[in-house]
Amino acid sequence: MELTGLAPGFRFLEVGGGGGSLGAWMGERVGPEGEVTVTDLDPRWAESRPRPPQVRLLRHDIVNDPLPGGDYDVIHARLVLLHLPERIAVLERLVAALRPGGWLLLEEFDCTWIPVLATPDDDSLALFTHVQAALLAQLEKAGADVAWGHRVPAAMTRAGLTDVTATTYAESWAGGGTGIDLHLVNMEQAEAGLRGDGVTEGELRRFYALLKNPEFVINSYPLISTRGRRPESGEGEFR
C-alpha cells in the first residue's frame, strides 16, 4: 500500500472492508485533510473499531450499487473480486473511479496452488486432496474464480492500467495453528454442498481432525497483491 505513494490529503476507497483495520490505518496515513471510505455488504464488523473522523463506513454492494464517489487516489480490495461472477465489470468500474495517476491495489488468492508440505501418512494426503478439490468445485459453482489471483495482472492491463506489478506472499500452516483454521471455516460453511457432491460425513470428520494435527503442514494459499496505475492525461489512450 505504501508503494502507491500514500500522502496526507489522499482520497482512499476500500471495497469489502471487513473488520475495518486497514481503513483505520489508512485514516492515520491520509490525515484530517484526507478521506477514507470503507464499504462492505455488512459493515457491522468494523463499526466497533475506533477510527478517525475522516474514515466513513458504508453499507454497499459493489456489484449493484453506484460507487460512492470518484477521483480516488487509491482503491483497494482484498479477497473480494475472486468471489464475484461480475469481477471484470467491477474491475472496470474501479479503474474508472480512479483519478489520473491513481492506483488500484487488488489482493487475491490463487487457490490452485496449495502444496502439502508434511503429512502423517499417505491416506491423510489423499483425504486432503479429495476434500479440498470438492471445496474448490463448490466455489466455482457459486461463481468464484479460484485462479483469479494470478489472472489479475493481465486483467488490470486489459482494463487500461499501467505500471502493473505483483507481489506474492505465502507461508506454511501447521495443523492446530491459526492460519489453517481458514480451511476449517471454509469447510464448515460449505458442508451441505460438499455432502451433495459425495464427500461423506466420515471424511469430513477425519478432515477436521487432520487440520488439528501438528504433523500435517500445508502451504497457505498464495496471496497475490497486484497494483496498477491509471495513466495521467497525455500518457496514451486510456481504454
Side-chain angles (χ1 to χ4, degrees), residues 29-41:
R29 297 305 184 277
V30 305
E33 62 271 44
E35 177 187 307
V36 175
T37 301
V38 179
T39 73
D40 205 286
L41 282 171

Side-chain angles (χ1 to χ4, degrees), residues 124-143:
S124 296
L125 174 59
L127 174 68
F128 180 81
T129 302
H130 167 59
V131 178
Q132 176 68 12
L135 173 66
L136 296 186
Q138 288 294 310
L139 290 172
E140 290 178 329
K141 286 180 182 180

Side-chain angles (χ1 to χ4, degrees), residues 131-225:
V131 178
Q132 176 68 12
L135 173 66
L136 296 186
Q138 288 294 310
L139 290 172
E140 290 178 329
K141 286 180 182 180
D145 180 354
V146 297
W148 174 240
H150 75 247
R151 303 192 209 276
V152 173
M156 279 192 177
T157 300
R158 286 193 296 269
L161 297 182
T162 62
D163 301 325
V164 175
T165 59
T167 303
T168 302
Y169 176 80
E171 63 184 21
S172 61
W173 286 346
T178 302
I180 207 168
D181 277 351
L182 175 63
H183 290 284
L184 176 63
V185 172
N186 286 343
M187 294 300 172
E188 288 176 342
Q189 292 177 341
E191 272 193 7
L194 292 170
R195 291 192 185 96
D197 280 353
V199 177
T200 68
E201 184 69 26
E203 287 173 329
L204 284 172
R205 300 284 78 78
R206 287 164 45 215
F207 184 89
Y208 293 148
L210 183 63
L211 296 183
K212 298 180 184 302
N213 186 341
E215 296 181 37
F216 180 71
V217 185
I218 58 174
N219 204 77
S220 67
Y221 292 127
L223 182 70
I224 303 176
S225 301

Side-chain angles (χ1 to χ4, degrees), residues 43-169:
R44 73 177 187 271
W45 302 109
E47 287 174 349
S48 61
R49 178 180 293 276
R51 59 186 183 276
Q54 62 268 26
V55 178
R56 64 169 177 160
L57 300 178
L58 291 179
R59 185 181 303 275
H60 182 266
D61 181 344
I62 188 59
V63 174
N64 297 307
D65 296 339
L67 282 173
D71 288 329
Y72 290 105
D73 296 284
V74 181
I75 298 176
H76 172 261
R78 178 185 294 148
L79 304 176
V80 174
L81 275 66
L82 181 155
H83 297 283
L84 303 178
E86 307 87 352
R87 63 187 62 84
I88 298 301
V90 170
L91 170 60
E92 291 172 350
R93 291 178 66 204
L94 296 178
V95 169
L98 291 168
R99 67 161 177 80
W103 289 89
L104 175 64
L105 173 59
L106 298 181
E107 300 187 279
E108 305 280 6
F109 282 150
D110 178 355
C111 302
T112 64
W113 192 76
I114 180 170
V116 175
L117 305 179
T119 182
D121 51 63
D122 291 341
D123 289 343
S124 296
L125 174 59
L127 174 68
F128 180 81
T129 302
H130 167 59
V131 178
Q132 176 68 12
L135 173 66
L136 296 186
Q138 288 294 310
L139 290 172
E140 290 178 329
K141 286 180 182 180
D145 180 354
V146 297
W148 174 240
H150 75 247
R151 303 192 209 276
V152 173
M156 279 192 177
T157 300
R158 286 193 296 269
L161 297 182
T162 62
D163 301 325
V164 175
T165 59
T167 303
T168 302
Y169 176 80

